[in-house]
Amino acid sequence: MSFSWSRRFAAWDRSPVVGTTLVGITLFAAGAVTYWAGGTRSAFPHLFYIPVLIGSYYFGPAGGVAVGLTAGAICGPYMPLDTAAGIPQPATGWFIRMVFFCGVGLCAGALILSLRRRIEDLRRHNEEVVRAFVRALDAKDRYTSRHSEKVAEYAEGIARQMNLPPEVQERVRWAALLHDVGKLAVPSAILNKPGRLEPSEWAIIKQHPVESERIFSGVAHFRPLLPAIRHHHERMDGRGYPDGLKGDQVPLEARILAVADSFDAMTSARAYREPMSEEAALKELEKGAGTQFDPVVVAAMIRWRRSVAHLPAAGENPASEGSA
Ligand SMILES: [Fe+2]
């Protein structure tokens, strides 16, 4: 997970179109420069290693070998040893060069493939560790089993429904996974208290977004998540916490988290009440649109849940379904 230039680079560094274009341009350039520089007697045939490495990077070992064969052919029988004198190169010259191009393409492609597999393993490992960590947190509060993972699923669904860029969707998902980690600083007796909380206990609970932010502020990788984490209990009317931000002052990712968080809270059992149905929870979100929640985010949540959970559309009477 990264959120800056490396993310933008990642968007096109796997594109076959970009890879094929770069290989084509550099093959043409290497061939033209080698020919005009005097032929294969010059040092310029080494330029062909550039498209070979690009081919390996984009298409792995097979791509490296394919570009190596193409480079060997371009710099092969029709490329003179000496352009000005019109001296052809011997067959052994271009054949050995082609073998080198293919060998370098094969080795570089294999190394890049292995590196990518390692990176994917690390990414998966990273996510599994974070999930284990948040499960441990959720286990602290017996009424919020899998809360963080469910909020992450809902928040990502809303972000996708809103057509937000993939990097924002991923940021929302990670922020949702980690948003309540600050509850580690809240005593279990307060978290699990079945009755009404005293004002002093509420004051402690209200500090958990700040604690979550403080815990992750030392992790450079998670810094872009901090605004969403800190402000996930803000409200559109400014009556939320910890900073009482209002309207657009609340970061978009935090507004998404607020809706996802409340939806899971309403549809999960508590000591003092049964879980609400999804449809009832969506109606509650609708009631809070504009005051507690961002109406655009609520609308996206409703559209998404109705599409994935096959809930009835607005105005539709579920009781009439299937009746004669
Ligand atoms: Fe929270």
Side-chain angles (χ1 to χ4, degrees), residues 179-180 183 208-209 232-233 241 261:
H179 72 290
D180 271 348
K183 283 186 177 172
H208 81 268
H232 74 270
H233 282 294
Y241 62 90
D261 194 19

Side-chain angles (χ1 to χ4, degrees), residues 296-313:
V296 175
V297 176
V298 169
M301 176 67 172
I302 292 171
R303 280 200 311 276
W304 175 61
R305 284 316 290 175
R306 288 199 169 125
S307 67
V308 296
H310 306 296
L311 294 172

